[in-house]
C-alpha cells in the first residue's frame, strides 16, 4: 500500500470536514477524519474526533438522548452495509460477532457497539502518543471490556504499560496502577495548515487597528514590528550561552512615541477575558478584582437573572453584558473546574479562560479566534513541518519539539461539556469548536496570561489575558513593571534589574515586559520559558548569565 502524502491527507481532511458540515451527526465521518488526523501526526485531534464519535454511539443507543433521532438517521445508510471501511479493522468485526443487516434496531445497536470499540482503539492509541497515559489506559480497558481478546487493544495496553514503566521508573515486578499513571501530555503547538483566522499581524491594516485601540490604554506608545531572538528548543548549544550568532524572528512589540519618565504609567488596560477558579469567591465576574464590601451603599452589582454573579460596579456589569455574560447567564456553568486539586490549578485557569473566550465569541457572534482579545496574540508556534517529523505509528512517546501541554480532560472533554452547558450544539458548530481551535487558544494564552495569587493561601486563583499588555515583549532585564488589580497597569521602572541603571523609557525604545519572576536564576527563568513560551529565553541577560555559568563550570572541571 502506497502511503498518502501530507498534501493528499490535508485534502482528504478538508473533504471530511466539509462533509461533517453537511452531516454533523455522522459518526463514521468523525472516525474517518480521526484516522486522517492520526496519519497527519495530530494524535490530539484524532482523539477529539474519536470522542465525538463515541458520544454519538451513545446517542444512537439511547432514545432519551438529545440527538438520538439525528444520530440514528445518520447511521441508517451504514446499517444496510454494516461494515464501512473505517470499522472493518483487523479482527474487530470477528471479535464482536455476527450481526443481522436488516437495517432495524438490532443493526443500529450493533453498528454503534462496533463503532464504540473503534473509538476506544483510536482514543487509547492517540492519547498514548500524546503522553496522556491514564486516559489512554481507561479507554483501552473500556474497549477490552467489550472485546477482551482484541489484538490491537491488547497491544495498545502493552505499549501504555511500557511507557508508564519508563516515565515512572518502575521495576520489572512493579504493578502498573491506572490511577497512578501520569495524564499530562504534550501536543503540537502550531498554526495549523487549515487555520485561516490568523491575521497578517504586520500589515498596515493590522497595525492601524492595533494602534487605534492602544491609544485608549497607552497614549505615549505605538505598536511596531520588533526583531526578537528565537527561543531555543531545550537551550542546548553554544548559542544559548551567547557565544554564537543568534537567530531572530519578527514579532509585534510596543514602542515609546515619546520619553516616559521613571515611575510613569505606560499602559492602563481593562479586559473581561478573565478567570477565577475559586467557587463562590468574592471577585468581580468581569474584571477579576476583589469586590467592594457588600454594604448598604456598595457599588457592587448583581446580575438580575443569576444573583450569584456579582460585578464591581455598573461599568463592569455593562462590559459583561456587552461582551460575554448573556451567553452563560443562568446556564449552570459557574461550578465547572472550580476549586481544583493543587496539581491542576494552572490547567483549570487556562480552561476557564477558554470558557470565557467561548462565551465572548458566542455572544458577539464571532469565531473564537476572531475575538479581538486573542486575534492578534502570537502563540510562539512551531512550524508544521518540524512538528510532524515524528511518525506516531512508530513511537509511543511525544517528540521533544511538541510543546503544548495537553490532556483529554482539559483539551477535549471539559470544553465540550462547557459548550453543552451553554446550550451549544457541539456537532453543528464544529467549525467554531473543533479541538484545534481550543488548542490554538491555549497556545495564545500560555506565556501571555497573567495570574494573581490568593493572599490567604498563596494559590493562583485568578488569571486574565490583556492583549496589549502581552504585546509588550518579555525580557529578563525589563524596563517596566506591572500590577494587575481590575486593570493591568504598566509602570516605567525607576531602576533596571541589571546593573541598577536609571529607569524610564526613551522615545523610540521598545517597552520590555516581564512574564516571570526576573529575580530567579537563569536556569529557572529558562525552565519557565520552556513551559510557557515553548523554548529557552534568549534575551541578552540570559545569554550572558548562561555564558558566565558555562565558563565557571569549564574552569572548575579543569582543576
Amino acid at each position: 500500500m502506497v502511503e498518502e502524502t501530507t498534501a493528499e491527507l490535508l485534502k482528504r481532511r478538508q473533504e471530511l470536514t466539509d462533509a461533517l458540515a453537511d452531516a454533523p451527526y455522522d459518526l463514521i465521518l468523525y472516525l474517518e477524519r480521526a484516522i486522517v488526523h492520526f496519519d497527519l501526526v495530530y494524535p490530539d485531534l484524532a482523539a477529539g474526533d474519536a470522542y465525538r464519535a463515541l458520544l454519538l454511539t451513545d446517542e444512537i443507543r439511547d432514545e432519551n438522548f438529545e440527538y438520538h433521532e439525528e444520530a440514528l438517521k445518520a447511521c441508517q445508510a451504514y446499517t444496510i452495509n454494516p461494515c464501512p471501511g473505517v470499522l472493518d479493522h483487523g479482527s474487530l468485526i470477528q471479535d464482536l460477532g455476527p450481526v443481522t443487516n436488516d437495517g432495524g434496531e438490532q443493526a443500529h445497536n450493533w453498528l454503534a457497539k462496533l463503532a464504540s470499540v473503534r473509538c476506544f482503539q483510536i482514543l487509547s492509541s492517540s492519547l498514548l502518543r500524546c503522553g496522556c497515559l491514564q486516559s489512554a489506559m481507561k479507554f483501552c480497558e473500556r474497549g477490552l471490556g467489550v472485546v477482551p481478546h482484541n489484538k490491537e487493544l491488547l497491544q495498545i495496553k502493552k505499549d501504555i504499560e511500557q511507557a508508564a514503566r519508563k516515565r515512572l521508573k518502575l521495576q520489572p515486578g512493579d504493578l502498573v496502577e491506572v490511577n497512578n499513571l501520569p495524564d499530562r501530555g504534550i501536543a503540537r503547538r502550531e498554526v495549523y495548515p487549515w487555520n485561516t483566522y490568523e491575521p497578517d499581524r504586520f500589515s498596515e491594516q493590522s497595525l492601524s487597528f492595533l494602534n487605534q485601540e492602544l491609544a485608549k490604554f497607552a497614549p505615549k506608545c505605538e505598536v511596531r514590528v520588533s526583531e526578537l531572538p528565537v527561543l531555543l528548543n531545550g537551550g542546548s548549544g553554544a548559542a544559548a550561552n551567547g557565544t554564537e550568532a543568534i537567530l531572530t524572528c519578527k514579532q509585534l512589540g510596543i514602542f515609546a512615541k515619546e520619553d516616559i519618565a521613571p515611575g510613569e504609567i505606560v499602559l492602563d488596560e481593562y479586559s473581561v477575558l478573565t478567570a477565577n477558579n475559586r467557587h463562590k469567591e468574592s471577585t468581580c465576574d468581569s474584571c477579576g478584582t476583589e469586590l467592594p464590601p457588600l454594604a448598604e451603599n456598595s457599588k457592587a452589582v448583581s446580575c438580575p437573572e443569576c444573583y450569584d454573579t456579582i460585578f464591581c460596579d455598573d461599568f463592569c456589569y455593562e462590559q459583561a453584558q456587552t461582551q460575554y455574560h448573556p451567553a452563560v447567564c443562568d446556564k449552570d456553568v459557574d461550578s465547572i473546574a472550580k476549586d481544583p486539586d493543587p496539581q491542576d490549578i494552572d490547567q483549570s485557569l487556562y480552561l476557564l479562560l477558554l470558557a470565557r473566550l467561548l462565551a465572548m465569541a458566542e455572544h458577539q457572534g464571532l469565531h473564537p479566534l476572531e475575538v479581538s482579545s486573542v486575534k492578534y496574540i502570537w502563540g510562539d508556534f512551531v512550524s508544521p513541518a518540524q512538528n510532524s517529523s515524528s511518525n506516531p505509528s512508530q513511537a509511543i512517546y511525544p517528540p521533544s519539539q511538541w510543546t503544548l501541554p495537553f490532556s483529554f480532560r482539559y483539551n477535549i472533554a471539559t470544553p465540550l461539556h462547557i459548550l453543552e452547558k451553554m446550550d451549544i450544539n457541539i456537532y453543528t458548530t464544529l467549525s467554531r469548536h473543533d479541538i484545534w481551535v481550543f488548542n490554538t487558544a491555549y497556545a495564545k494564552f500560555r506565556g501571555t496570561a497573567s495570574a494573581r495569587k490568593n493572599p490567604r493561601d498563596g494559590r493562583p486563583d485568578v488569571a486574565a489575558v490583556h492583549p496589549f499588555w502581552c504585546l509588550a515583549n518579555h525580557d529578563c532585564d525589563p524596563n517596566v513593571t506591572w500590577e494587575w488589580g481590575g486593570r493591568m497597569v504598566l509602570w516605567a521602572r525607576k531602576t533596571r534589574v541589571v546593573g541598577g541603571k536609571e529607569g524610564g523609557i526613551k522615545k523610540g525604545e521598545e517597552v520590555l515586559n516581564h512574564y516571570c519572576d526576573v529575580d530567579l536564576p537563569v536556569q529557572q527563568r529558562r525552565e519557565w520559558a520552556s513551559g510557557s513560551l515553548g523554548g529557552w529565553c534568549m534575551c541578552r541577560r540570559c545569554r550572558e548569565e548562561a555564558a558566565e555559568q558555562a565558563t565557571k563550570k569549564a574552569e572548575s572541571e579543569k582543576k
Side-chain angles (χ1 to χ4, degrees):
M1 179 179 177
V2 179
E3 291 188 6
E4 292 181 277
T5 66
T6 297
E8 291 170 335
L9 288 169
L10 287 172
K11 180 181 178 182
R12 180 59 180 152
R13 181 203 172 274
Q14 190 58 54
E15 291 171 349
L16 290 167
T17 303
D18 293 342
L20 280 166
D22 296 327
Y25 304 99
D26 190 327
L27 64 86
I28 302 301
L29 292 177
Y30 277 113
L31 286 173
E32 289 180 342
R33 200 176 73 147
I35 293 170
V36 171
H37 274 143
F38 193 87
D39 290 342
L40 281 167
V41 200
Y42 294 108
D44 52 325
L45 306 187
D49 283 343
Y51 184 63
R52 273 191 168 96
L54 182 63
L55 294 177
L56 285 170
T57 66
D58 292 335
E59 297 284 349
I60 291 171
R61 289 184 285 195
D62 193 330
E63 62 182 12
N64 295 316
F65 278 30
E66 184 175 4
Y67 305 115
H68 171 71
E69 293 297 330
E70 292 88 345
L72 195 63
K73 184 178 179 180
C75 85
Q76 286 176 346
Y78 302 110
T79 55
I80 297 172
N81 176 22
C83 299
V86 70
L87 299 183
D88 189 9
H89 181 76
S91 63
L92 181 55
I93 294 176
Q94 180 181 345
D95 291 342
L96 199 59
V99 63
T100 176
N101 62 351
D102 62 1
E105 181 180 354
Q106 183 180 358
H108 295 154
N109 289 337
W110 185 87
L111 178 74
K113 187 176 182 181
L114 177 64
S116 69
V117 178
R118 190 72 183 103
C119 291
F120 294 138
Q121 290 177 336
I122 296 172
L123 275 162
S124 55
S125 179
S126 298
L127 292 170
L128 165 62
R129 269 45 176 190
C130 294
C132 304
L133 302 186
Q134 185 175 130
S135 294
M137 182 65 87
K138 287 181 178 179
F139 281 117
C140 186
E141 291 184 340
R142 286 178 64 182
L144 287 170
V146 182
V147 282
H149 305 295
N150 182 257
K151 293 180 180 179
E152 180 168 338
L153 286 170
L154 289 171
Q155 183 59 52
I156 293 170
K157 185 174 182 179
K158 288 182 180 178
D159 291 342
I160 296 170
E161 291 175 343
Q162 178 186 342
R165 290 186 180 282
K166 184 170 183 179
R167 283 180 63 175
L168 298 175
K169 299 179 180 179
L170 298 178
Q171 298 301 315
D174 294 340
L175 294 177
V176 177
E177 298 287 347
V178 62
N179 291 328
N180 294 332
L181 294 179
D183 213 32
R184 285 200 180 197
I186 299 291
R188 295 166 63 164
R189 184 176 187 161
E190 66 182 53
V191 177
Y192 297 92
W194 53 84
N195 180 358
T196 60
Y197 295 97
E198 292 296 320
D200 180 355
R201 302 162 72 245
F202 307 135
S203 69
E204 291 186 10
Q205 181 181 5
S206 294
L207 291 172
S208 175
F209 170 79
L210 289 170
N211 278 309
Q212 183 178 353
E213 293 298 306
L214 179 64
K216 303 173 184 177
F217 310 121
K220 288 189 175 183
C221 297
E222 64 179 346
V223 178
R224 285 168 34 191
V225 178
S226 176
E227 191 166 353
L228 302 176
V230 174
L231 302 174
L232 285 191
N233 183 15
S236 59
N241 299 329
T243 59
E244 287 187 359
I246 304 301
L247 296 176
T248 61
C249 64
K250 289 184 177 180
Q251 295 287 359
L252 295 181
I254 293 180
F255 292 77
K257 294 193 295 184
E258 53 188 279
D259 290 351
I260 300 175
E264 184 178 352
I265 289 178
V266 177
L267 174 142
D268 186 350
E269 182 180 6
Y270 180 88
S271 174
V272 301
L273 185 46
T274 62
N276 178 0
N277 64 15
R278 297 293 181 99
H279 195 44
K280 304 295 184 183
E281 189 69 9
S282 59
T283 57
C284 174
D285 190 76
S286 181
C287 72
T289 194
E290 289 289 326
L291 289 170
L294 301 180
E296 182 177 349
N297 298 321
S298 173
K299 294 182 179 179
V301 178
S302 297
C303 173
E305 302 297 329
C306 48
Y307 298 105
D308 288 340
T309 305
I310 305 176
F311 306 93
C312 285
D313 50 29
D314 288 330
F315 175 79
C316 276
Y317 172 73
E318 292 299 331
Q319 290 296 314
Q321 293 298 107
T322 301
Q323 297 194 53
Y324 75 90
H325 186 65
V328 292
C329 184
D330 203 25
K331 295 287 179 65
D332 192 28
V333 180
D334 289 345
S335 61
I336 297 176
K338 297 296 179 74
D339 297 329
D341 292 334
Q343 68 270 19
D344 291 332
I345 287 176
D346 60 331
Q347 294 189 96
S348 73
L349 284 173
Y350 287 123
L351 171 68
L352 292 169
L353 285 173
L354 176 64
R356 176 60 57 85
L357 176 64
L358 296 175
M360 293 170 72
E362 182 68 14
H363 179 61
Q364 296 174 36
L366 297 171
H367 188 282
L369 300 180
E370 289 184 313
V371 174
S372 60
S373 297
V374 300
K375 182 176 181 178
Y376 296 94
I377 294 176
W378 186 248
D380 294 288
F381 305 100
V382 175
S383 71
Q386 182 180 350
N387 268 332
S388 63
S389 60
S390 172
N391 186 341
S393 65
Q394 299 174 357
I396 60 174
Y397 312 108
S400 60
Q401 62 265 32
W402 294 8
T403 61
L404 181 68
F406 177 86
S407 75
F408 172 74
R409 177 183 177 186
Y410 287 100
N411 292 66
I412 298 175
T414 311
L416 294 179
H417 177 56
I418 288 170
L419 290 170
E420 290 175 327
K421 284 286 189 179
M422 291 169 59
D423 296 329
I424 293 174
N425 187 318
I426 64 171
Y427 304 106
T428 59
T429 64
L430 178 66
S431 63
R432 301 199 303 276
H433 302 127
D434 215 338
I435 303 304
W436 71 266
V437 177
F438 303 160
N439 285 355
T440 301
Y442 278 134
K444 289 172 180 277
F445 295 156
R446 287 191 173 269
T448 62
S450 54
R452 190 173 68 234
K453 294 180 179 180
N454 191 305
R456 293 194 299 274
D457 57 17
R459 289 174 54 176
D461 61 359
V462 184
V465 172
H466 293 81
F468 288 97
W469 172 82
C470 67
L471 281 184
N473 290 306
H474 170 80
D475 193 284
C476 293
D477 184 22
N479 53 21
V480 295
T481 188
W482 55 273
E483 179 179 329
W484 172 42
R487 306 182 77 92
M488 176 61 76
V489 180
L490 282 176
W491 286 280
R493 281 181 175 264
K494 295 182 179 179
T495 57
R496 299 291 289 271
V497 176
V498 177
K501 296 176 292 186
E502 183 181 3
I505 308 170
K506 299 297 183 183
K507 178 180 179 180
E509 287 184 348
E510 183 170 3
V511 175
L512 300 176
N513 201 354
H514 62 102
Y515 302 160
C516 72
D517 182 355
V518 291
D519 291 328
L520 294 172
V522 59
Q523 183 64 26
Q524 292 183 34
R525 298 198 308 270
R526 283 183 155 179
E527 289 173 356
W528 161 83
S530 182
S532 295
L533 301 179
W536 276 18
C537 180
M538 292 297 293
C539 72
R540 177 180 292 276
R541 179 187 173 195
C542 280
R543 298 198 311 270
E544 291 179 349
E545 290 183 3
E548 183 180 352
Q549 288 188 0
T551 299
K552 290 181 179 179
K553 181 179 179 181
E555 292 175 349
S556 175
E557 291 175 349
K558 289 179 181 179
K559 295 179 180 179

